[in-house]
Amino acid sequence: MNNLKEIASRFDTAGVIVDIQPFGNGLINDSYRVYTDGDTPDYLLQRINHHIFQDVAMLQKNIETVTTHIRRKLAERGEQDIDRKTLTLIPVDDGKTYYFDGANYWRMLLFIPRSKSYEKVDPLYARYAGLAFGDFQRMLADMPEPVGETIPNFHNMAFRLQQLRDAVQSDAVGRVAAMRPVINMIEYFATDMCRAEQLHLEGKLPKRVCHCDTKVNNILFDESGDVLCVVDLDTVMPNYIFSDYGDFLRTAANTGDEDDRNLQRVGFNMEIFRAFTEAYLESARSFLTGIEIAYLPYAAALFPYMQCVRFLTDYLNGDTYYKIRYPEHNLARTQAQLALWQSVESHRMAMTDYIESLL
Ligand code: GN1
Ligand code: MG
């Protein structure tokens, strides 16, 4: 706490810090809620994982660009309560929005009061989320400055498969033999699942500025269920809209947990799919192309598949990327995402029919 207090004191905050506590359950960065006394706002202090986000200056610049742009859009709409509808970075003395303590990079955000995030949502909240993502993507469509790729090839399926093949090749911790059936299954569908990259190469699929980490717990809701904002802007970058659509469904429409060890619980909830898709199309249809809409069922399948590949790669590499809570955690995650992917695949036709019925 003392060390954290010392770090927090570098930022231009109001009030007296009375407590600092771990916050949230992200798999990459470490977050702490900074409590202040009296009426002054609380803050969120984050240690940025700079092994993963290697260009911290670019990362922070992106978030500044995005939040400044959204702030202006909200003001133009006459939005009240802007501080709860987008993130606010707190600067350090030198004007930068991050602090390097000699070993780690830190940043500070305003803590958004009276907000809630969820690991699961009902169809009504899925609907609100669908509207919010369409709106978020639309707001980002005319940013004055480009945003950089904070993690190059982040949602490039062909690249993720290459990383898996490299991990299989080196077999760093001797886990490959036991995983052969899963690796073979992944390989069998590899060409199909790289369809987005293929369409892009053919000039048929655009990249747009997307959030790229639309896990359901990255949305803040207010007391009455309305969406306040989408948080965790580290991965905002140009990508296929499939990323935001698919990663939301991967988390919100899973009847089990991302790392469920009881695979009976894992499955794809079509009710959440329908509510989210209907709302997303309501708010994004005006700018989506026919190909983007036609491939939404593919996007729903792509993200559990990609996450399965990423968890498996980390498992084979000896758990160097994601935080784990027990030794076989990445194995459990791999199996749960595999089960989810298979469930999504069994609904592909029904998804396509539903989307056609909306058009
Ligand atoms: C990571 O940071 P967090 O926990 O919201 C990961 C996502 C994965 C997710 C899986 C930078 O997200 O891409 O989908 O874990 N973020 C990064 O839960 O790799
Ligand atoms: Mg997160």
Side-chain angles (χ1 to χ4, degrees):
M1 158 88 169
N2 272 343
N3 180 35
L4 289 172
K5 242 187 175 162
E6 162 20 50
I7 288 157
S9 71
R10 302 284 172 158
F11 292 85
D12 186 15
T13 56
V16 177
I17 295 170
V18 291
D19 199 9
I20 302 183
Q21 291 295 334
F23 185 84
N25 41 14
L27 301 189
I28 307 292
N29 297 322
D30 296 320
S31 302
Y32 302 87
R33 180 169 176 173
V34 178
Y35 294 82
T36 65
D37 65 350
D39 287 339
T40 48
D42 287 349
Y43 298 91
L44 191 73
L45 177 66
Q46 294 188 302
R47 176 171 41 215
I48 300 167
N49 185 327
H50 66 271
H51 303 290
I52 291 177
F53 295 102
Q54 296 184 356
D55 187 342
V56 174
M58 182 221 266
L59 172 73
Q60 291 300 102
K61 174 84 177 22
N62 272 5
I63 301 178
E64 286 164 38
T65 305
V66 170
T67 53
T68 307
H69 183 70
I70 290 180
R71 198 167 273 276
R72 188 166 56 238
K73 292 263 162 179
L74 294 172
E76 279 165 16
R77 283 182 192 177
E79 186 66 64
Q80 308 295 315
D81 210 6
I82 290 181
D83 280 351
R84 286 171 80 216
K85 304 231 160 163
T86 187
L87 300 181
T88 308
L89 285 167
I90 308 298
V92 187
D93 293 345
D94 60 5
K96 285 203 190 81
T97 59
Y98 60 91
Y99 168 66
F100 182 59
D101 68 6
N104 287 296
Y105 291 87
W106 300 85
R107 72 175 163 223
M108 185 88 99
L109 298 152
L110 211 54
F111 188 87
I112 299 182
R114 291 164 287 117
S115 62
K116 281 191 165 169
S117 69
Y118 300 92
E119 296 299 327
K120 286 279 160 279
V121 286
D122 63 12
L124 184 63
Y125 277 36
R127 175 177 171 74
Y128 294 154
L131 295 172
F133 286 139
D135 189 41
F136 186 78
Q137 288 176 341
R138 179 157 355 102
M139 284 199 278
L140 297 183
D142 60 348
M143 280 208 295
E145 288 177 80
V147 288
E149 271 193 75
T150 49
I151 301 179
N153 292 309
F154 188 51
H155 280 169
N156 179 335
M157 193 61 245
F159 174 78
R160 294 301 184 184
L161 283 162
Q162 191 52 51
Q163 287 185 314
L164 174 62
R165 288 167 194 149
D166 293 346
V168 170
Q169 188 71 41
S170 27
D171 196 9
V173 287
R175 286 171 168 173
V176 168
M179 297 310 292
R180 268 296 166 202
V182 178
I183 297 166
N184 292 343
M185 169 97 86
I186 287 169
E187 285 294 352
Y188 188 80
F189 290 93
T191 310
D192 279 354
M193 295 317 255
C194 290
R195 199 60 210 276
E197 274 70 49
Q198 192 55 41
L199 288 167
H200 183 67
L201 284 176
E202 292 166 8
K204 294 177 186 155
L205 183 66
K207 286 196 178 182
R208 308 176 190 276
V209 179
C210 296
H211 181 281
C212 297
D213 190 11
T214 50
K215 284 165 63 160
V216 54
N217 64 12
N218 277 334
I219 306 175
L220 298 189
F221 294 87
D222 73 6
E223 316 78 330
S224 60
D226 288 328
V227 172
L228 284 167
C229 60
V230 194
V231 299
D232 202 349
L233 302 177
D234 294 325
T235 52
V236 172
M237 64 178 105
N239 219 321
Y240 317 123
I241 54 97
F242 301 160
S243 293
D244 292 1
Y245 176 82
D247 220 24
F248 178 81
L249 287 176
R250 181 182 71 80
T251 50
N254 183 356
T255 50
D257 298 326
E258 181 178 68
D259 56 355
D260 223 308
R261 280 189 275 189
N262 179 358
L263 298 181
Q264 303 299 322
R265 292 186 64 232
V266 175
F268 190 62
N269 180 338
M270 283 294 282
E271 230 195 312
I272 297 291
F273 160 80
R274 284 191 292 267
F276 176 70
T277 302
E278 184 182 23
Y280 177 69
L281 283 177
E282 253 172 68
S283 73
R285 197 174 159 189
S286 62
F287 64 83
L288 295 181
T289 67
I291 292 221
E292 286 174 316
I293 295 173
Y295 278 87
L296 292 178
Y298 156 81
L302 176 61
F303 278 81
Y305 176 84
M306 187 185 302
Q307 201 61 63
C308 175
V309 169
R310 293 178 62 194
F311 284 146
L312 176 57
T313 303
D314 198 33
Y315 181 64
L316 299 183
N317 285 337
D319 311 309
T320 58
Y321 187 93
Y322 294 106
K323 290 182 205 167
I324 52 169
R325 287 197 311 276
Y326 56 90
E328 303 285 279
H329 201 167
N330 275 319
L331 174 61
R333 287 166 170 157
T334 301
Q335 284 164 335
Q337 293 298 301
L338 183 68
L340 177 63
W341 168 50
Q342 287 170 331
S343 174
V344 177
E345 290 293 1
S346 73
H347 293 287
R348 269 237 214 173
M349 292 284 264
M351 287 192 278
T352 304
D353 289 347
Y354 178 72
I355 290 172
E356 276 171 10
S357 79
L358 294 175
L359 302 177

